[in-house]
Amino acid sequence: MNTQSKLKINKSGGHEYIIIYFKKGKDMLRIPTDEEVAKGKMTEKLLFTAKVEDYQSKNKKILNLKQKVDTYILMESRQQFPRYYQHKCIRFITHDIENIGRGTPKYQRIAALATKFENAQRAGNKETKSLVQFIDDYIQYRKDRNTTRNTAKEFTTMKNRVIKFDADRKNTTLLSDINFTWSDAFEKFLLKKKYNSGTIEKTYTILITVLNHYYIRKEELKLNLSDKFKLKGFKRGEKSRNMANPLTYEQFKTLYNHKFDDKSLEKTRIRFCLQCSTGLRYSDMHRIRPDMIHEERIIIKPIKTDRHNITAEIDLNQYSRELLTNLSFDTSGLKIENAPYNRNIKKMFEKMQADKPDLKYRTDYGSHCARDTFISICVQSGVDFKTILTWSGQKSYTIMDRYISTTNEYKAGQMGKAFS
């Protein structure tokens, strides 16, 4: 007599789900597993392959449920007039199966041990640690592994937004709360606070990095964290792409030759012009030391791309050489926090705008605009892309393209070349 169920696919609401199926005469069992079919990622027996996140635990859940259904089928088949009812099967697998063997000494010993174990596990697994506390632990984990200060600040910023979100709704977020409903509420809060789509996307990206860290350790740490945050639709916002905002070569030369009476603005001019003439990011601008100069070339591993083991090799030019010579090839004295640096850049260009109105300086420049300036000047001067990639420490033109903005005069000249 057949007493084994099998896995089948059930279609519902445009989706396909795995069910446990058994049919005998007119009786039929269709027990849902709540697991959705992953097309192209299933075995012939309708179990998940390694291409699916957490496939082992998903398969274990399905097979454990199937074993309980098969136990119900086997016990019912031993009755004088066996009948297989859906509601009885569900009641059996959710409650009655626990009573098998009750009353025997062996069962009582096993039940006592099981109760003791479950109580101890329940006490140890009581979820009291908040998402914010887990984020704090993760930040410390990164700091212990020499994560840069700016990267740590990004995680702290994300954490502070979660703190404000919890305060706004008067509820503490636990790992078990992370699902689509939670994401809906978090996105609504961020929109209410007037964050743009790019900021929301970055907040989610950083949050998901933290959740991934704990998800792959959830069994060892006994964490109640689902994989909902990995599914399409959990993450909100759209990645923003900042348009390049460079100075023209004439604007750069004028700034370079300008001298400010204000010491703060003068030091800002030196910082900004050094970036413009080397392409160094803000995070690397203060890191140059004499031992990094080899044969009129700066050899430096940019902090931002350190994990990719990229080295930038920047040949000196008349501007960078003079600036570095005046600094004795040691830029440690130029170190400054990004926020005050950007404020001083704004003040500097407000002054340049007033002093040199014909050059049409803008006041929306930031520290990243110096790198835009370096790469755009190089492109418009006809430097080949491979050399620019070497100087800027970039891996591909696609990434470098974000920093390029050419003038109308340059584009008109290029058209003239094409149809001369």
Side-chain angles (χ1 to χ4, degrees):
M1 179 184 290
N2 177 29
T3 59
Q4 292 289 310
S5 61
K6 59 183 179 180
L7 302 180
K8 287 191 71 172
I9 296 175
N10 179 57
K11 295 183 179 180
S12 176
H15 297 272
E16 295 181 342
Y17 296 90
I18 301 170
I19 64 169
I20 298 169
Y21 177 83
F22 177 79
K23 187 170 182 3
K24 185 70 174 176
K26 294 182 179 180
D27 297 340
M28 182 169 59
L29 303 177
R30 297 163 60 87
I31 308 299
T33 67
D34 295 327
E35 293 292 345
E36 191 169 354
V37 172
K39 291 185 178 179
K41 301 176 183 178
M42 310 291 292
T43 67
E44 292 183 2
K45 295 182 179 180
L46 287 183
L47 293 174
F48 294 102
T49 68
K51 295 179 181 179
V52 175
E53 289 284 346
D54 206 18
Y55 76 101
Q56 291 176 320
S57 63
K58 288 177 180 289
N59 289 342
K60 184 177 180 181
K61 171 188 167 184
I62 293 170
L63 293 175
N64 283 345
L65 184 59
K66 183 180 183 302
Q67 186 178 38
K68 290 181 179 180
V69 172
D70 288 343
T71 302
Y72 165 78
I73 295 169
L74 178 62
M75 294 188 65
E76 190 62 30
S77 67
R78 293 174 177 173
Q79 302 298 319
Q80 186 175 2
F81 303 104
R83 295 298 305 269
Y84 308 94
Y85 295 112
Q86 179 93 353
H87 68 281
K88 285 187 176 181
C89 180
I90 292 174
R91 187 179 66 188
F92 177 84
I93 63 180
T94 57
H95 176 70
D96 292 351
I97 195 169
E98 298 176 4
N99 296 323
I100 297 175
R102 183 181 294 277
T104 65
K106 182 179 180 180
Y107 172 85
Q108 290 169 355
R109 288 195 302 272
I110 294 173
L113 288 171
T115 300
K116 184 177 180 180
F117 173 78
E118 288 171 2
N119 289 339
Q121 191 177 48
R122 194 176 295 114
N125 285 351
K126 187 177 181 181
E127 194 174 7
T128 58
K129 195 170 181 178
S130 69
L131 172 61
V132 170
Q133 290 172 314
F134 278 109
I135 296 171
D136 266 330
D137 289 348
Y138 179 77
I139 293 172
Q140 188 57 52
Y141 169 86
R142 292 291 295 262
K143 286 180 178 178
D144 292 342
R145 284 153 182 79
N146 299 318
T147 290
T148 63
R149 188 168 182 270
N150 286 338
T151 300
K153 281 174 66 177
E154 290 183 339
F155 285 98
T156 301
T157 299
M158 177 273 293
K159 180 193 75 172
N160 290 336
R161 287 173 187 157
V162 175
I163 290 173
K164 291 175 182 177
F165 167 64
D166 283 353
D168 184 72
R169 64 179 188 146
K170 299 179 176 60
N171 197 7
T172 300
T173 299
L174 305 176
L175 288 183
S176 58
D177 295 326
I178 303 300
N179 53 33
F180 275 75
T181 304
W182 183 90
S183 184
D184 292 339
F186 190 45
E187 180 192 30
K188 184 178 179 180
F189 167 78
L190 295 174
L191 290 171
K192 185 174 74 172
K193 293 298 180 181
K194 310 291 187 190
Y195 290 112
N196 62 40
S197 183
T199 301
I200 292 173
E201 188 275 340
K202 188 170 184 179
T203 301
Y204 270 86
T205 296
I206 297 169
L207 172 63
I208 288 171
T209 298
V210 176
L211 296 175
N212 264 318
H213 172 82
Y214 288 110
Y215 184 78
I216 62 177
R217 295 166 173 80
K218 71 173 190 173
E219 291 185 4
E220 299 98 303
L221 299 176
K222 295 181 172 57
L223 302 178
N224 185 8
L225 176 62
S226 77
D227 62 355
K228 292 290 180 67
F229 71 91
K230 292 175 172 284
L231 300 179
K232 184 178 180 181
F234 177 88
K235 183 179 178 181
R236 310 299 165 87
E238 292 184 8
K239 190 169 186 177
S240 59
R241 178 181 173 181
N242 295 324
M243 298 299 292
N245 187 19
L247 274 64
T248 65
Y249 190 32
E250 186 179 4
Q251 287 174 329
F252 163 68
K253 287 193 297 182
T254 302
L255 176 65
Y256 181 86
N257 292 314
H258 193 84
K259 295 293 183 289
F260 292 96
D261 295 330
D262 185 302
K263 291 183 179 179
S264 175
L265 293 185
E266 178 60 14
K267 202 165 188 178
T268 299
R269 181 191 70 83
I270 293 171
R271 291 185 182 104
F272 195 81
C273 286
L274 180 63
Q275 285 188 266
C276 286
S277 57
T278 60
L280 287 169
R281 295 182 180 87
Y282 151 78
S283 55
D284 297 316
M285 171 257 297
H286 62 273
R287 296 177 56 231
I288 299 175
R289 301 294 183 271
D291 61 358
M292 293 180 176
I293 310 299
H294 301 277
E295 299 178 350
E296 288 283 287
R297 185 180 293 124
I298 303 168
I299 309 296
I300 187 171
K301 284 192 173 183
I303 288 176
K304 186 172 182 180
T305 54
D306 181 60
R307 66 184 183 279
H308 299 303
N309 198 31
I310 294 174
T311 299
E313 300 181 14
I314 311 165
D315 291 273
L316 299 181
N317 53 54
Q318 57 177 318
Y319 303 104
S320 60
R321 185 184 297 107
E322 183 178 35
L323 288 168
L324 289 171
T325 299
N326 293 338
L327 294 166
S328 300
F329 294 93
D330 185 339
T331 61
S332 57
L334 299 181
K335 188 172 184 179
I336 186 174
E337 292 294 321
N338 200 28
Y341 181 31
N342 281 318
R343 286 196 295 269
N344 288 339
I345 290 172
K346 182 177 177 64
K347 290 178 184 177
M348 180 177 71
F349 282 108
E350 285 174 350
K351 187 75 169 62
M352 292 299 294
Q353 195 178 59
D355 292 348
K356 306 287 183 181
D358 293 344
L359 288 178
K360 298 180 180 179
Y361 283 105
R362 296 164 56 169
T363 58
D364 60 347
Y365 299 114
S367 59
H368 62 279
C369 296
R371 188 167 167 84
D372 296 346
T373 299
F374 174 80
I375 295 176
S376 294
I377 287 175
C378 288
V379 170
Q380 294 179 107
S381 298
V383 180
D384 66 272
F385 289 147
K386 186 172 182 180
T387 300
I388 301 175
L389 288 171
T390 301
W391 289 340
S392 61
Q394 297 286 9
K395 291 182 68 176
S396 69
Y397 172 77
T398 302
I399 297 173
M400 187 179 73
D401 182 52
R402 303 172 189 170
Y403 298 89
I404 301 172
S405 178
T406 54
T407 64
N408 290 333
E409 291 78 9
Y410 172 78
K411 285 180 277 194
Q414 294 298 299
M415 182 63 77
K417 281 184 182 180
F419 291 93
S420 58

